[in-house]
Amino acid sequence: MTRSTRPLRAFAVALLATASSLAAAGMAQAAPAAPTDVVTYDAPGSESADWSTDNDLDATGYWTPERMRNAIPVDSDPEAAPDPAFLQLPPDTSLLSAPVAPDSPPVDLTEPVEPASGESPTMLLGNQVYVPITTGKVFYSVGSNDYVCSGSSINTPGKSMVATAGHCLHAGAGGTWHSRIAYAPAYSNGTTPYGLWHMKTGTAFNGWTDRSDARYDYGFFIVYPLNGRYLVDRVGGNGLSYNRGTTNKGVRIWGWPAAAPFDGSRPYHCDGDTFAYGTGGDMAMNCRMNGGSSGGPWMTSTSSATVGRVFGVTSRMTTSGPARLISRPFNADVVRLYQTLE
């Protein structure tokens, strides 16, 4: 029996045309990732749900007291420092601007909570300085070099979240995620009295990871439990607040500055009011803290000496003129970034 090949040939041509059309449509629909797209990263290493170690030691054996003391702010390293344009507005930009009002009323997304462990909510350091144990120092490595930032614990259903800056987790455009990321609440001169909590999963905006755009310099990460306990149960957690705009009164910023004249051995804080900085939605506050304070919490509505509501994190500092720290108020996009991990 003779079979015509024309229908089969016609079908093959039609199939090819359909595939070409679909490919063209796919290419037409493909678009560059938006700066507010969320990027997540699972840290390599142990998948254990519990690090079993003494609270003042690092279970991996890497972060010794000496290594922690010697870690430096990334902007103190000429080979790894961010582009100066990231740290300072262009010269022709007005430093002060009209306040930027939030699009919606301020929202308190999560409530602050004291430690469930019965721990004292503050730790006394030298010179009668009390530091809330819901703030701490962030350590990380890039290649063979060790660096520092600051961070804070956030009360979430999972009880394991730390807020910091995006550049404390990822190197930005052309770079990769940092390694050996760990959080030390109330760090003091090489000691970690409340343990060293290793990152399990981190998240940042594409606007930072692909573009090094300071407008998206936010980061959150989840830490493993330590000795069968969750971070927030051990040290407490701050609330998370957003839509507060650029002008806020009674703000406290915590950080572990590590560039001269500071040495990163202890925390400092600045109290004051925030104001609009530039025209892009940034806020600033007068403060002399410097490298190492990146990622530290901007807190308002403190409910005790320990906890408050975090509505921003330190992203940059001025490099000339009055000493100021710079942040951007949390908004609905940052909430989505946070919710990716919960």
Side-chain angles (χ1 to χ4, degrees):
M1 181 174 65
T2 303
R3 296 181 180 178
S4 171
T5 59
R6 291 187 62 189
L8 184 59
R9 187 180 299 116
F11 174 75
V13 171
L15 184 61
L16 181 61
T18 301
S20 298
S21 298
L22 289 174
M27 291 177 64
Q29 292 175 0
T36 54
D37 283 354
V38 174
V39 183
T40 59
Y41 172 74
D42 293 325
S46 171
E47 295 300 322
S48 170
D50 180 25
W51 293 91
S52 295
T53 180
D54 294 335
N55 282 338
D56 60 347
L57 298 175
D58 174 17
T60 70
Y62 182 81
W63 289 112
T64 63
E66 182 181 11
R67 275 204 175 103
M68 288 189 287
R69 289 191 190 98
N70 292 338
I72 63 173
V74 68
D75 51 349
S76 297
D77 185 346
E79 296 183 359
D83 188 309
F86 168 70
L87 299 174
Q88 184 79 55
L89 288 176
D92 58 351
T93 301
S94 173
L95 294 182
L96 303 182
S97 68
V100 176
D103 295 332
S104 304
V107 178
D108 295 327
L109 186 65
T110 67
E111 293 297 318
V113 62
E114 303 284 351
S117 60
E119 296 283 353
S120 170
T122 57
M123 188 179 76
L124 178 63
L125 299 181
N127 299 322
Q128 299 297 304
V129 173
Y130 286 88
V131 56
I133 62 177
T134 58
T135 63
K137 197 164 182 175
V138 175
F139 295 92
Y140 65 92
S141 298
V142 178
S144 60
N145 298 320
D146 299 325
Y147 299 102
V148 290
C149 275
S150 300
S152 60
S153 60
I154 303 295
N155 183 31
T156 68
K159 306 292 184 183
S160 302
M161 184 175 289
V162 176
T164 188
H167 73 268
C168 299
L169 303 180
H170 191 284
T176 61
W177 291 85
H178 305 324
S179 62
R180 303 189 187 101
I181 298 171
Y183 175 66
Y187 170 87
S188 177
N189 196 29
T191 64
T192 58
Y194 298 94
L196 192 66
W197 303 72
H198 290 266
M199 185 182 90
K200 179 179 182 181
T201 304
T203 187
F205 281 127
N206 175 269
W208 173 254
T209 61
D210 279 11
R211 310 180 190 189
S212 295
D213 189 332
R215 293 175 296 177
Y216 304 98
D217 188 23
Y218 308 97
F220 294 96
F221 63 98
I222 297 295
V223 295
Y224 285 100
L226 182 62
N227 294 324
R229 302 164 81 178
Y230 293 108
L231 174 66
V232 171
D233 289 337
R234 178 79 167 89
V235 301
N238 297 291
L240 189 145
S241 186
Y242 69 103
N243 280 352
R244 288 190 172 268
T246 57
T247 56
N248 295 269
K249 293 186 178 297
V251 172
R252 172 165 288 187
I253 303 173
W254 282 98
W256 269 253
F262 306 101
D263 62 7
S265 65
R266 51 167 286 185
Y268 289 81
H269 70 266
C270 292
D271 293 329
D273 302 335
T274 66
F275 47 87
Y277 185 84
T279 58
D282 287 338
M283 62 181 173
M285 199 171 91
N286 295 327
C287 183
R288 292 180 56 248
M289 286 194 289
N290 55 24
S293 58
S294 288
W298 293 42
M299 300 170 66
T300 186
S301 304
T302 51
S303 57
S304 71
T306 305
V307 298
R309 301 186 189 278
V310 178
F311 71 103
V313 295
T314 298
S315 169
R316 290 156 288 155
M317 61 185 178
T318 54
T319 55
S320 62
R324 291 165 174 157
L325 295 182
I326 307 167
S327 179
R328 290 178 71 84
F330 289 169
N331 56 24
D333 289 325
V334 177
V335 172
R336 186 164 49 81
L337 184 69
Y338 144 83
Q339 291 173 334
T340 301
L341 296 181
E342 280 297 322

